[in-house]
Amino acid sequence: QVQLVESGGGLVQAGGSLRLSCAASGSIRSINTMAWYRQAPGKQRELVAFITSGGSTNYPNSVKGRFTISRDNAKNTVYLQMNSLKPEDTAVYYCNAEIVIYSTLRDYWGQGTQVTVSS
């Protein structure tokens, strides 16, 4: 069994910063791509950032230049540094990871953490 545990969400004013973290634990053989998604009120879940096992990253235009995803492979942890936050960034943020358990690659999700940006 694998669990992804997130932390770092909270309330911040516009222009502020937050750093989210997500640590994977369990019977992990390896972790491939890790990613962050978010779901704002009344909107569908959207990809925020992803990072490969080798460290390559990608971002949508909505967060590019403001958010940075990183990972610590030794700790099985992915981070999301969020700077210059805007009210429209308010959402529940979820981490996602493709994890090899035994010999099978499976997709796992964190529980979600609330990020609220006040105007």
Side-chain angles (χ1 to χ4, degrees):
Q1 186 175 4
V2 171
Q3 291 187 342
L4 273 59
V5 180
E6 300 176 348
S7 62
L11 174 65
V12 64
Q13 71 175 16
S17 298
L18 286 172
R19 192 188 194 199
L20 308 182
S21 64
C22 177
S25 62
S27 301
I28 299 171
R29 180 175 293 273
S30 64
I31 303 178
N32 291 347
T33 299
M34 305 185 81
W36 289 93
Y37 290 76
R38 68 185 181 187
Q39 188 165 22
K43 301 182 68 175
Q44 293 187 315
R45 187 172 299 185
E46 64 175 340
L47 177 69
V48 175
F50 73 83
I51 183 168
T52 68
S53 60
S56 297
T57 61
N58 202 2
Y59 309 88
N61 289 333
S62 59
V63 307
K64 189 174 297 182
R66 300 188 298 118
F67 291 9
T68 302
I69 188 171
S70 61
R71 63 192 289 168
D72 186 335
N73 291 329
K75 297 180 179 179
N76 290 332
T77 300
V78 63
Y79 305 93
L80 184 67
Q81 179 67 46
M82 304 183 293
N83 298 326
S84 302
L85 283 163
K86 305 174 181 179
E88 50 263 44
D89 294 320
T90 296
V92 177
Y93 284 70
Y94 300 88
C95 67
N96 171 267
E98 294 179 323
I99 301 175
V100 178
I101 307 298
Y102 188 56
S103 297
T104 303
L105 179 66
R106 297 178 178 177
D107 193 58
Y108 293 88
W109 290 88
Q111 79 284 358
T113 184
Q114 177 70 47
V115 172
T116 301
V117 184
S118 62
S119 60

